[in-house]
Amino acid sequence: MLLVEDNIAEARFLQEILKGTLISRFNLTHAKRLGEAIQQIQADTYDVILLDLTLPDSQGLASLDMLIQHAPNLPIVVLTNTNDVELAVEAVRHGAQDYLVKRQINQDILVRSLRYAIERKYTAEALREANEVLELRVQERTAELQTANELLRQEVERCQRIQERLELAQLAGKLGTFEWHILSNEVTWTPPGLTSLYGLDQDQFNGQYEDWLSMIHPDDRDRTEQELWQAVQTQNELDTEFRVVAPTGETRWIAAKSSVFYDSAQNPTRMIGVHIDITDKKQLEAQFLRAQRLESLGTLSSGISHDLNNILSPILTVAQLLPLKFPNLDPSTQRLLDVIEHSAQRGSALVKQILSFARGVEGKRISLQVHHLLSEIKQIIQQTFPKSIAIQTDIPSDLYAISADATQVHQVFMNLCVNARDAMPEGGTLQITAQNFEVDDDYARKHLDAHPGEYVVITVSDTGMGIAPDILNRIFDPFFTTKEIGKGTGLGLSAVLGIVKSHGGFLDVQSDIGKGSQFQVFLPATESAMSHVESSFHPLLGQQELVLIVDDEAAICEITKATLEAFNYRVMTASDGMEAIALFSEHRKDIYAVLMDIMMPTMDGLTAIPLLRRFNPNVHTIAMSGLSSTEAVTKAEQLGFQHFLPKPFATTDLLQLLRTPS
């Protein structure tokens, strides 16, 4: 391993991090300048380079380019003091395997990055050598069948020798070769350790093709089998990616690359290739996908959403509490309260949508009416797009329902509309249409990701500049963009394709230079119609239990206190974790439940709850926050909260959690 770093203190820091890890088995050479590093790679062999972008004799990406020029196959991990997403994307485009910010480096991050870079190097070497051997087999395929079988056995032995050279990859369970006997439907994994790639013990796989196929994720199974048999029938190489599900329920991503061999009568006999665990690569791609968001929104979204939800919480609670305080309200006043409640709920949904765009917050799949979603898109673009762009829509009200994450599907159509806008800088026509569509067997055969059945097809077309034929097949590649630097990361259409595929759909694109482009999104319809269920308000009365409310927002404490008292609870309030601990220590025998915000000054909920549980491990605890990300929920549960209540919350949600056993 070669470390190119002019700062002695930071070099020693990195050396200390690597001690006691698998990476520490490698010899670490330290170079202080780029020229010295170039001399080192010319004189010796290295597995990976750690490169600081700020050196005395070279600056920025020029250092990366120079090292790649002298060692094109050597993986490089870039180090910098700047947390710059755009610079990270540029470094990856220039050929870096990874990009690390020095002040954020710890042992797990550094070791994972180095292992990934090293595994990529050895995997690439293995694939090149395997391809050379496979090409030799193709050249000798005209020999007699007996000779061909003998050479095939030599090939397997050769693959075994290659596998032995990939010690790092094998120890990590990242790569292995396989052989599929097509006539007998038997699958052989070489070496046997490849079973760990699928999360299996050696005796859990009996070598049958159907058993291997059953391990593939249900959403990827039909497509993978179709690609496999297509490779067999067309005499093409197989190059695909799919997910597998281990017996433990863990999902892993596998890349399969292989070739098919035939006998003298051109009957397919065997498929030989490699399987590679690319789960880490997929996770890295997901991180870059989340990086495609509005730059300013990405920085401010968390704080803004927390503050907005704290503002919306008392509004929503008051709107639900007033009808209980004043049961004889006239219909006009009741309608006004309904408007307030509905507006607060819409505001909360909007905050969640902003978070989904900015931070990749995961949502739930629901039965969704495309008509309503597209109508909302139409309203947004009419208000924000230039007046030189005419908006035309044809959105029937009888469209099939789909099962989808509303935020993700919203992102798909907004991406397509924004791209259409950018393609018409001088103005034009943007048209959005939708219709129900039945995909038959013939149509499905022409589209790899299509399956026979009912779909909703949404078409976004423009009259812009169009897409050149030579780049049309690249527009969905990650980081590919024709926009100027700073105006796009090249992840928009990649995100669109990923979301559509994850929903079981597929895309079709048509474009003519100077005439415009047309994107068609096919989303499978649900089997049952969307049901509209109005939420009913059935309060769950308390029995004078004592509840401790902890929040630095006085309005939330006051309104929540009034709400719970209206439903026969006794309430105490505290403004931070320190005050909560003092009250809890005094009344620990009487307190039934604690409702605590996880973000407060002085002492937050995540710090306070373990201390409260020392007084009473069985107390009913509910975390609340304006930030409802997966990470926040998981962290709260790990520290002892039994439930999580995102702000703003409905009164029924709070009452139900108070009655839910811990």
Side-chain angles (χ1 to χ4, degrees):
M1 181 188 308
L2 177 61
L3 171 63
V4 187
E5 169 65 71
D6 63 315
N7 189 309
I8 300 299
E10 291 181 346
R12 289 178 178 173
F13 171 71
L14 292 171
Q15 290 171 343
E16 287 297 321
I17 288 180
L18 291 174
K19 285 184 178 179
T21 68
L22 289 175
I23 305 299
S24 64
R25 296 186 301 172
F26 292 88
N27 294 325
L28 180 64
T29 302
H30 178 206
K32 300 178 183 177
R33 286 172 168 76
L34 181 63
E36 182 182 351
I38 293 174
Q39 292 177 357
Q40 290 289 347
I41 62 179
Q42 290 175 341
D44 206 347
T45 301
Y46 294 93
D47 292 287
V48 65
I49 295 178
L50 277 170
L51 171 64
D52 180 18
L53 287 182
T54 305
L55 298 171
D57 57 341
S58 180
Q59 294 289 322
L61 297 177
S63 304
L64 175 63
D65 294 338
M66 187 63 69
L67 285 178
I68 291 176
Q69 181 179 346
H70 286 82
N73 296 322
L74 189 56
I76 300 175
V77 177
V78 167
L79 303 174
T80 181
N81 286 316
T82 304
N83 190 3
D84 188 335
V85 173
E86 186 170 326
L87 179 59
V89 173
E90 284 300 312
V92 173
R93 284 177 173 167
H94 279 244
Q97 293 290 335
D98 206 349
Y99 175 94
L100 301 178
V101 180
K102 291 181 180 179
R103 64 177 179 271
Q104 297 178 357
I105 292 177
N106 57 35
Q107 188 181 74
D108 291 339
I109 292 175
L110 182 57
V111 169
R112 182 168 63 248
S113 179
L114 291 175
R115 287 179 60 188
Y116 177 70
I118 293 171
E119 289 164 2
R120 284 288 301 270
K121 173 192 173 183
Y122 281 95
T123 298
E125 291 177 356
L127 290 176
R128 283 196 297 272
E129 191 166 354
N131 283 335
E132 291 174 1
V133 176
L134 292 175
E135 288 174 0
L136 178 61
R137 282 292 302 128
V138 172
Q139 294 173 1
E140 298 174 349
R141 194 169 54 188
T142 56
E144 293 188 3
L145 184 58
Q146 183 177 3
T147 304
N149 287 336
E150 178 62 25
L151 290 175
L152 188 58
R153 284 192 292 270
Q154 294 177 8
E155 164 62 20
V156 173
E157 294 173 357
R158 181 62 171 166
C159 289
Q160 290 175 341
R161 290 195 296 271
I162 294 172
Q163 188 63 30
E164 292 172 358
R165 295 178 57 190
L166 300 176
E167 180 181 358
L168 275 178
Q170 280 304 309
L171 288 175
K174 296 292 184 182
L175 181 146
T177 61
F178 75 95
E179 180 177 357
W180 173 35
H181 302 263
I182 298 175
L183 298 179
S184 62
N185 256 357
E186 293 181 352
V187 179
T188 303
W189 286 346
T190 311
L194 181 60
T195 52
S196 63
L197 196 75
Y198 285 76
L200 301 173
D201 294 331
Q202 183 57 39
D203 57 355
Q204 287 183 283
F205 181 67
N206 60 12
Q208 292 300 309
Y209 168 81
E210 289 77 10
D211 293 325
W212 166 77
L213 195 64
S214 68
M215 290 184 287
I216 299 178
H217 193 285
D219 294 342
D220 298 343
R221 192 175 299 151
D222 292 342
R223 172 185 57 80
T224 303
E225 187 173 24
Q226 183 179 358
E227 291 178 352
L228 185 148
W229 284 106
Q230 188 175 30
V232 172
Q233 295 168 1
T234 61
Q235 301 187 14
N236 290 324
E237 293 185 349
L238 176 68
D239 186 354
T240 188
E241 297 176 355
F242 53 85
R243 290 165 293 176
V244 297
V245 182
T248 59
E250 178 188 6
T251 300
R252 300 180 182 179
W253 274 97
I254 304 296
K257 301 179 184 294
S258 59
S259 294
V260 183
F261 297 93
Y262 302 82
D263 59 20
S264 58
Q266 294 299 302
N267 296 314
T269 58
R270 302 186 186 189
M271 175 180 284
I272 298 178
V274 294
H275 279 189
I276 309 165
D277 188 335
I278 58 169
T279 305
D280 292 341
K281 169 178 172 289
K282 286 293 184 179
Q283 291 172 348
L284 183 61
E285 289 176 353
Q287 293 173 12
F288 277 110
L289 185 61
R290 288 194 295 270
Q292 194 238 351
R293 59 186 183 267
L294 298 175
E295 286 78 2
S296 58
L297 184 61
T299 304
L300 299 175
S301 59
S302 295
I304 291 175
S305 64
H306 180 264
D307 292 340
L308 285 176
N309 281 331
N310 277 337
I311 294 171
L312 291 170
S313 289
I315 296 175
L316 180 60
T317 306
V318 167
Q320 296 175 338
L321 179 62
L322 285 178
L324 301 175
K325 290 283 190 179
F326 305 99
N328 297 321
L329 291 174
D330 60 89
S332 176
T333 304
Q334 181 62 54
R335 284 196 297 271
L336 292 177
L337 289 177
D338 291 340
V339 170
I340 294 175
E341 180 180 354
H342 181 67
S343 297
Q345 290 172 340
R346 285 183 60 84
S348 175
L350 179 61
V351 170
K352 291 178 181 178
Q353 187 179 71
I354 293 174
L355 274 178
S356 296
F357 279 117
R359 303 181 60 209
V361 174
E362 296 178 359
K364 295 180 179 179
R365 298 283 177 92
I366 61 173
S367 185
L368 183 67
Q369 282 287 1
V370 180
H371 170 79
H372 301 309
L373 183 68
L374 294 180
S375 298
E376 182 180 345
I377 296 286
K378 175 186 176 182
Q379 183 178 3
I380 292 173
I381 63 178
Q382 282 180 333
Q383 295 173 352
T384 58
F385 280 18
K387 299 302 181 183
S388 60
I389 296 179
I391 311 296
Q392 297 179 356
T393 61
D394 182 9
I395 309 170
S397 59
D398 60 346
L399 295 174
Y400 296 139
I402 63 172
S403 177
D405 179 336
T407 299
Q408 290 182 351
V409 176
H410 190 283
Q411 181 182 356
V412 166
F413 298 127
M414 279 304 300
N415 259 319
L416 294 179
C417 289
V418 168
N419 282 350
R421 178 203 65 187
D422 294 343
M424 298 183 290
E426 305 299 327
T429 300
L430 170 60
Q431 188 175 51
I432 304 174
T433 63
Q435 63 177 343
N436 297 326
F437 186 82
E438 182 178 358
V439 173
D440 56 22
D441 292 335
D442 182 61
Y443 194 91
R445 282 193 292 268
K446 298 176 182 178
H447 296 78
L448 188 61
D449 296 320
H451 301 281
E454 300 292 344
Y455 285 77
V456 178
V457 55
I458 302 93
T459 304
V460 179
S461 58
D462 62 71
T463 58
M465 60 188 69
I467 304 171
D470 57 331
I471 65 172
L472 187 60
N473 62 343
R474 299 180 58 196
I475 60 175
F476 295 105
D477 292 349
F479 307 118
F480 177 79
T481 179
T482 57
K483 297 181 181 180
E484 299 176 11
I485 294 177
K487 294 187 177 180
T489 62
L491 291 172
L493 286 178
S494 177
V496 166
L497 181 61
I499 292 172
V500 171
K501 282 192 172 183
S502 71
H503 283 75
F506 61 98
L507 285 164
D508 188 36
V509 184
Q510 304 291 333
S511 185
D512 290 324
I513 292 293
K515 296 183 179 180
S517 302
Q518 173 183 282
F519 286 79
Q520 287 188 304
V521 179
F522 294 77
L523 296 172
T526 56
E527 294 182 0
S528 58
M530 179 178 180
S531 59
H532 299 274
V533 181
E534 298 293 337
S535 59
S536 58
F537 191 74
H538 296 296
L540 300 171
L541 293 177
Q543 299 178 3
Q544 283 294 297
E545 295 96 333
L546 180 60
V547 178
L548 174 59
I549 301 174
V550 189
D551 200 305
D552 60 306
E553 293 284 342
I556 293 179
C557 283
E558 181 181 350
I559 297 302
T560 308
K561 179 176 183 293
T563 299
L564 291 180
E565 288 177 344
F567 288 98
N568 202 32
Y569 285 94
R570 294 179 296 132
V571 180
M572 301 173 62
T573 63
S575 60
D576 58 46
M578 293 292 292
E579 186 179 351
I581 291 173
L583 287 173
F584 195 89
S585 63
E586 183 178 353
H587 302 277
R588 55 187 168 185
K589 293 183 179 179
D590 300 324
I591 292 177
Y592 164 72
V594 177
L595 180 64
M596 183 180 294
D597 189 13
I598 63 175
M599 294 182 62
M600 297 179 292
T602 308
M603 180 183 289
D604 61 23
L606 297 178
T607 304
I609 194 63
L611 301 176
L612 292 182
R613 284 196 164 278
R614 293 183 182 179
F615 294 105
N616 182 1
N618 299 319
V619 66
H620 195 145
T621 53
I622 302 173
M624 57 179 176
S625 176
L627 296 177
S628 56
S629 66
T630 303
E631 294 82 2
V633 176
T634 302
K635 186 67 173 178
E637 292 175 348
Q638 290 175 345
L639 291 175
F641 285 103
Q642 289 140 344
H643 304 289
F644 189 91
L645 191 61
K647 298 178 183 177
F649 47 81
T651 300
T652 50
D653 293 336
L654 172 59
L655 295 175
Q656 287 171 355
L657 286 183
L658 285 174
R659 307 314 305 174
T660 301
S662 58

